Amino acid sequence: MKFKMTLILLAVNVLIFSFPLNNIKTDDMNLIYYSNSHSYIIPHISRCYLRTWDYYKDFWKYKPYEKTSIFIEDFSDWSNGGATAVTNNFVYISMSPYMYVFEVAPAAERMSLLMHHELTHVLAMDMYSPQDYFFRKLFRSKIQHTADDPITFLYGYLTNPRKYAPRWYHEGIAVSMETWMGGGIGRAMGAYDEMVFRGMIKDDAHFYRMVGLEAEGTAIDFQVGANSYMYGTRFFGYLAYMYGPDKLVEWVKRDKESKGFYASQFTKVYNKNLSEEWDRWIEFEREFQLMNLQRIRQNPVTDFRPVNGSKPMGSVSRSYLSKDRKKLFVGVKYAGQLPGLMEIDLESGKKRKICNIKGASTYFTTNPVYIEDENRIIFTTDNFYRRDLNTVDISTGKTELLIRDSRTGELALNKVDKSIWGIRHENGISTIVKIDPPYKDWTAIYAFEYGSDLYDLDISPDGTKLTGALTQIDGNQKLVYYDMAALQSGKVVENLIYDFDYSSPANFVFSDDGRYLFGTSYYSGVSNIYRYDFEENDISIISNSETGFFRPLPISNDSLIVYNYVGGKGWQPGFIKNENVENVSAIAFLGQKVYEKYPYIKEWGDGSPAKINLDSLKTYEGKYSYIRNFRNKGTYPIIEGYKDYMAYGYLMNYSDDIGFNSIKLSVSYSPIGDNLKDEEKLHLGCRYSYRMFNLRGTYNKADFYDIFGPVKVSRKGYSYGAGFTQSLIYNKPEMMNLSLDFDGYGDLKKLPEYQKIGSDFTEMYVAAAKLDYKFFQNSLGHVDDEQGAAFSVNVQGTKVNSDIHPKIHGDFSLGYLLPVKHTSIFLRSAAGYAFGDRKDSFSNYYFGGFGNNYVEKKHEKQYRKYSSFPGFDINEIKGKSFVRNMLELNLPPLRFEEIGNAAFYMRWLRMSLFGSIIHTDIDNDDKAYYYNAGTQIDLRVVTLSFIKTTFSIGYSTGWDRDSNREEEIMFSLKIL
């Protein structure tokens, strides 16, 4: 066996060194990237980082605890970033262009902006007081709380208290710094955010208070997590305006004079209660936006006539008129329903869903193209991660995948030859592509230089012009067109239609005769409709909206369909007249008010990254070493349970800087135990992981949750094993994984899987393979999976002495979303067969109980597992073969908005009903049947913004075919 383990270890180490990553280091930076295709942008990213970091160290009077690792990736189609300071300072950068829809992101040079934003997150969590520094040294790192050892929550707060603040706090300061560092280009000066809050006042929409935003607002609102950006940015803008930007810096800063908890520090700095100040901001916002509405109303407001019976639909895509011009086709996404392509009758307002949209975007939903004479729509799915191209028959709803991972959007149809044109994002570059019928492949036409992007494409009816909004690296945006014939011959000539300065020329589409373009822009601060006349070479404004008009669609010479933004609810389709407006008034921006009141923030900025001499700062450039970057990521005391006894010890974590290569070592000891033999008092655990591989071992396995029971996983004896997990399908939310495992056991007194089934073997070997698939689509505001399917197949062979005991079992789940919001019904089935002697414990399956511990780390709904059967005792039911069926009804959650405070609040309460039947020994004359019916109620609470705890109570009654009846009541607290 030692020889076998040596071979396994050798094979794993060969694979470790076969995946090279590239690495550049300076004294402050550890940048890692995986593709040579990204090398062109690496020097620029490095300079952006170093310039920002140098500035921040001086600005915040901050000495970093450690250097920051930066991982550059191209997994998604849109620019994005993420940051943490736990366990180490880490930033990831997605290098694709920004998403400009509705101007939710600025068109500025994205790497500088991302560094301003993400490094604010790092320093806001990494800054430390002497007390924080002491605990970081004591525990050898900043500690990440984990469900395996819940006591790490305390260690995490002691080493990094500012991490435990709500997302609006972290995004509020990051967006503020991003805007001020960018000379006013950023979301704190964004017209979209102004519109959202102006719309909330105009339409008397609900404002979330501080607790309500986190408890409910980031889940049920169609903008979900984006609300943290908007509310946080707006509240920080209010504080900056009322009390000065320096106060904000003082609030966020962490030093020896500051308080650890963010809300306590607010009181110290502002001498005010945070929640009460939030309420004062809401009143300020009301007055500010009423003033803006008065400005708009100085000129006649455009009359908007909604489509009959229509309501706001959350986010919407570009739309099209049907061939008979009586119906509207549009992609929508709003709370409580699966996103999809909709058909809307323009006379009655009646809606019909054509098909669901997998991976719908929060804002643009999908990029559709309507092919009129074929009565179908080409549309995109996976609209954030590597977009796919699909087609759907409008009449039948039947869909077909055309191009997987096309990474192409901004689609426009050339009606002359039926080719589809779009913009493809890859390796940070935007490329015009052409997709000819039957739309199974694409052809690259022209690749823009880094920093330029084209979006919102349209093609003239005669197929001669391709129009779009062109962004440039300095943030300037223009409406342009290209000659189609010249494009296809390799001659790329940009023809200016109109320069919109720093405002987006969005949604521009041709009229049927090709003379006009209709589109939108926040040029006056409000999104209005603009019309460009090719014959007159003239642009005019044809609306004066109080909130904002978007996505115009000309339907006649005298009218348009537009989408009106309704505060807090999204976009509503309706009609406006196609006629010029004499004047519109500019609105006031809160960010601009801050600039005017405190002009010194105009000096906040790090200057050009080109000034950084990168070559002189490099300390290393070459391949990333998993060994040289391997370091201690935390050493701390742990508490574990072994059988009915307590064990005390230490855990040591080691990992490389990006977490690909890690090892966890634990040792504990049970000092008290009258019935515990000396040989069982020591407990050891080890797990080594590299990507999809792991090696593991235990001696007298102990576990924190065994302290509480009733489910026990601690075992006398030793174990060792190796595992491999590979994603066969990674196409969120569709996933398929293959797992292969080998484990050896010795000196066990209970079977590893079944705590009440004894054994007297010396050695046991288990080889297992598992194929696991799931594909669930969920509506906005869901708290559980709602619609879709999942299955798994498990094959296992157990060798004991000279006997081999094979087993196979599988699970299948099928769920449907019912018409009532967030109400779903599931059929969950499982079946299994064990080969061998029925009298042998290794040739049986065992069932019973809810499966929850009193204090738990596993999913709260353990009754869904095939081995659970509430109403009976743990492992009470057994069978060599079995078939299990469960019908489950999940009721809509009851949400709480205002129960709690900054440190602790309730989020939701949900209830599920279930009934099951299990048929065991189906291959034997002595068959057995068992039944149950029960319910479970779960209450979710959140502590310190990050600690999501679930209280569960369940009841079930079970009976056999002879009507012998048992009952079970379950109480459980799921920590983290």
Side-chain angles (χ1 to χ4, degrees), residues 711 851-853 856-862 865 974:
V711 179
N852 300 69
N853 267 329
E856 185 60 270
K857 71 174 179 179
K858 301 187 295 291
H859 193 279
E860 57 271 13
K861 291 186 179 296
Q862 287 294 296
K865 292 179 62 177
K974 180 180 182 297

Side-chain angles (χ1 to χ4, degrees), residues 611-817:
K611 297 179 181 179
I612 296 292
N613 186 342
L614 179 61
D615 290 336
S616 67
L617 297 174
K618 290 178 185 176
T619 58
Y620 174 78
E621 183 170 14
K623 296 301 179 182
Y624 177 79
S625 169
Y626 294 98
I627 302 301
R628 288 195 297 269
N629 291 278
F630 201 71
R631 55 181 56 89
N632 194 315
K633 296 300 177 70
T635 300
Y636 45 81
I638 57 172
I639 303 173
E640 296 184 304
Y642 179 75
K643 296 184 176 180
D644 296 319
Y645 306 102
M646 299 282 284
Y648 308 92
Y650 262 84
L651 185 143
M652 294 162 281
N653 278 309
Y654 294 85
S655 172
D656 73 298
D657 291 322
I658 52 178
F660 284 4
N661 191 28
S662 65
I663 188 167
K664 180 185 291 187
L665 304 168
S666 66
V667 56
S668 63
Y669 188 79
S670 300
I672 301 174
D674 295 338
N675 297 321
L676 199 62
K677 297 179 180 179
D678 289 343
E679 65 190 58
E680 292 187 67
K681 291 187 175 182
L682 178 65
H683 316 287
L684 303 174
C686 174
R687 184 180 181 88
Y688 170 74
S689 300
Y690 174 75
R691 294 178 175 269
M692 67 286 289
F693 298 92
N694 71 79
L695 299 173
R696 53 196 181 254
T698 66
Y699 177 73
N700 293 333
K701 180 181 178 181
D703 187 88
F704 172 84
Y705 296 93
D706 276 21
I707 297 172
F708 307 95
V711 179
K712 301 282 189 178
V713 299
S714 57
R715 295 290 188 272
K716 177 186 180 298
Y718 61 88
S719 71
Y720 50 87
F724 167 83
T725 301
Q726 176 65 53
S727 291
L728 303 181
I729 299 175
Y730 189 86
N731 193 23
K732 290 183 177 181
E734 184 181 19
M735 307 286 287
M736 178 183 281
N737 295 319
L738 173 66
S739 300
L740 303 174
D741 289 280
F742 171 81
D743 291 279
Y745 301 90
D747 296 338
L748 294 187
K749 295 301 180 184
K750 302 288 183 181
L751 293 186
E753 291 180 279
Y754 306 116
Q755 70 187 67
K756 293 191 175 182
I757 309 303
S759 66
D760 56 2
F761 60 88
T762 303
E763 289 187 335
M764 166 178 150
Y765 308 100
V766 180
K770 179 179 181 182
L771 186 67
D772 188 15
Y773 173 87
K774 65 178 181 179
F775 181 17
F776 289 110
Q777 297 188 79
N778 304 311
S779 63
L780 288 177
H782 72 98
V783 298
D784 205 346
D785 288 329
E786 294 179 330
Q787 181 162 305
F791 72 83
S792 68
V793 179
N794 301 262
V795 180
Q796 177 180 304
T798 302
K799 183 177 185 297
V800 180
N801 299 324
S802 60
D803 298 323
I804 297 177
H805 305 269
K807 280 184 177 181
I808 181 170
H809 76 269
D811 299 86
F812 176 74
S813 298
L814 183 64
Y816 291 95
L817 184 63

Side-chain angles (χ1 to χ4, degrees), residues 863-888:
Y863 66 80
R864 294 174 176 170
K865 292 179 62 177
Y866 85 93
S867 57
S868 300
F869 204 78
F872 293 85
D873 195 12
I874 296 172
N875 303 157
E876 180 179 352
I877 300 170
K878 78 169 187 175
K880 185 173 181 289
S881 58
F882 74 93
V883 175
R884 179 182 185 269
N885 289 297
M886 172 190 288
L887 192 64
E888 178 188 37

Side-chain angles (χ1 to χ4, degrees), residues 429-442:
I429 299 298
S430 297
T431 302
I432 300 175
V433 299
K434 181 186 179 187
I435 308 172
D436 289 307
Y439 312 117
K440 296 290 188 177
D441 201 1
W442 54 271

Side-chain angles (χ1 to χ4, degrees), residues 116 145 503 607:
H116 295 159
H145 60 263
S503 184

Side-chain angles (χ1 to χ4, degrees), residues 101-106 171-172 175-176 178-179 186-201 207 223 226-235 281 285 288-289 292 363 522 525 547 550 565 587-591:
V101 61
F102 304 136
E103 216 170 284
V104 295
E171 301 300 348
V175 173
S176 297
E178 150 202 319
T179 305
R187 204 159 176 172
M189 286 280 286
Y192 178 85
D193 289 20
E194 287 288 351
M195 179 191 71
V196 168
F197 289 102
R198 186 172 66 254
M200 292 170 69
I201 298 302
F207 261 89
Q223 298 179 103
N227 275 328
S228 295
Y229 287 84
M230 290 192 300
Y231 275 80
T233 299
R234 203 70 186 177
F235 182 57
W281 158 62
E285 193 68 57
F288 186 83
Q289 297 303 349
N292 269 334
Y363 289 108
Y522 291 101
T547 54
F550 297 86
Y565 181 79
I587 63 166
F589 285 73
L590 179 58

Side-chain angles (χ1 to χ4, degrees), residues 72 95 128 201 208 212 347 381 386 467 522 540 553 568 581 614 676 686 709 858 866 872 894 899 905 915 937 967 969:
I72 310 301
M95 59 192 299
Y128 50 89
I201 298 302
Y208 288 106
E347 292 182 2
T381 53
R386 308 181 71 87
T467 62
Y522 291 101
S540 56
L553 179 62
V581 169
L614 179 61
L676 199 62
C686 174
K858 301 187 295 291
Y866 85 93
F872 293 85
L894 173 64
I899 301 180
Y905 56 86
I937 297 173
E967 292 181 307
I969 297 176

